[in-house]
Amino acid sequence: MRTTVKTGAVALAAACALLLTGCGGSSGSSDASSGAGSLAQVQGGSDQPGTLLDTPFTKPQLQLTDNHGKPFDLVKQTAGHPTLLFFGYTHCPDVCPTTMSDLALAKAKLPRADQDKLRVVFVSSDPQRDTPARLTEWLGAMDKSFIGLTGDFTAIQSAARSVGVGIEAPVKESDGSISVTHGAEVLAFWPKDNKGHVLYMSGTTAEQFAHDLPKIIRSEAP
């Protein structure tokens, strides 16, 4: 079964919306009104791997099932931990696995104590196919500590939109392929206030993540 994808959009300046690139197969159109939530006002130049938000995002109130089949409350179970949040799906051919692999490589370069503090959360935008078992297998190939979440799509979509990530429900096409949307943004939440202060777009390298993660863990701007 061939999978196609359309990505969401997030605003990177008061009057500018950045359209994210499609991945794999034939991608559908995307626009700045495709469901993104609050516009993200940012500081610093676009050449920086991480973009500091003028107004930090509140961590989404999201209760789903984790990759071990247990209930997971995103706010409660990541409170006080530096947290990286990404909305994607396991059948994605490029952006999602590349992003998660880069995060795994970056995390591996941290001291063990910092690795234990960090929470990396992958929320499925294709929850019907991304079962707990599938998430465990897919994420486990990168880092067994990564947390995969699946469940009600409406709740997932609402949470994504609350942090400026536009995703739509998967659609089965007439040729049998499935169109799935995902974000290309990694949001970094500081442990001191549990808010998303830094935005990383698709293309951020493992080296760039590794450079910034110690500061994220200390609740400092990269």
Side-chain angles (χ1 to χ4, degrees):
M1 179 179 293
R2 181 171 60 87
T3 302
T4 60
V5 62
K6 300 175 287 184
T7 61
V10 64
L12 290 188
C16 178
L18 176 64
L19 299 183
L20 306 182
T21 311
C23 77
S26 58
S27 62
S29 62
S30 176
D31 59 53
S33 62
S34 63
S38 304
L39 299 185
Q41 307 302 316
V42 302
Q43 298 174 350
S46 61
D47 58 333
Q48 299 298 319
T51 305
L52 188 65
L53 304 178
D54 281 343
T55 303
F57 281 116
T58 298
K59 192 175 291 181
Q61 294 282 347
L62 190 57
Q63 298 179 20
L64 295 171
T65 300
D66 71 13
N67 53 297
H68 301 294
K70 298 180 180 180
F72 192 93
D73 186 313
L74 179 65
V75 172
K76 290 182 179 179
Q77 292 180 245
T78 61
H81 289 279
T83 302
L84 304 178
L85 180 65
F86 181 82
F87 291 85
Y89 70 113
T90 66
H91 290 84
C92 174
D94 39 36
V95 173
C96 302
T98 298
T99 299
M100 300 309 291
S101 293
D102 285 342
L103 290 177
L105 289 170
K107 176 176 174 277
K109 296 181 180 181
L110 293 170
R112 173 55 61 181
D114 284 346
Q115 290 189 41
D116 291 342
K117 295 174 185 175
L118 185 65
R119 299 291 183 266
V120 179
V121 181
F122 178 92
V123 181
S124 176
S125 59
D126 185 17
Q128 186 171 353
R129 290 190 296 172
D130 283 343
T131 62
R134 168 71 181 175
L135 287 168
T136 293
E137 178 184 12
W138 190 78
L139 291 172
M142 304 172 202
D143 188 305
K144 294 185 184 302
S145 76
F146 283 3
I147 300 164
L149 299 181
T150 187
D152 178 66
F153 179 81
T154 301
I156 292 169
Q157 183 183 53
S158 177
R161 288 178 173 178
S162 77
V163 291
V165 179
I167 58 173
E168 301 298 334
V171 176
K172 188 171 184 179
E173 307 293 355
S174 58
D175 63 357
S177 65
I178 299 177
S179 294
V180 181
T181 62
H182 66 78
E185 311 93 334
V186 174
L187 271 167
F189 292 81
W190 290 356
K192 74 175 183 180
D193 61 3
N194 297 303
K195 290 188 176 182
H197 287 265
V198 187
L199 178 74
Y200 295 93
M201 297 304 295
S202 177
T204 303
T205 66
E207 290 73 20
Q208 289 169 329
F209 279 125
H211 176 271
D212 285 6
L213 281 180
K215 293 184 178 180
I216 297 298
I217 290 169
R218 297 193 300 267
S219 297
E220 297 175 358

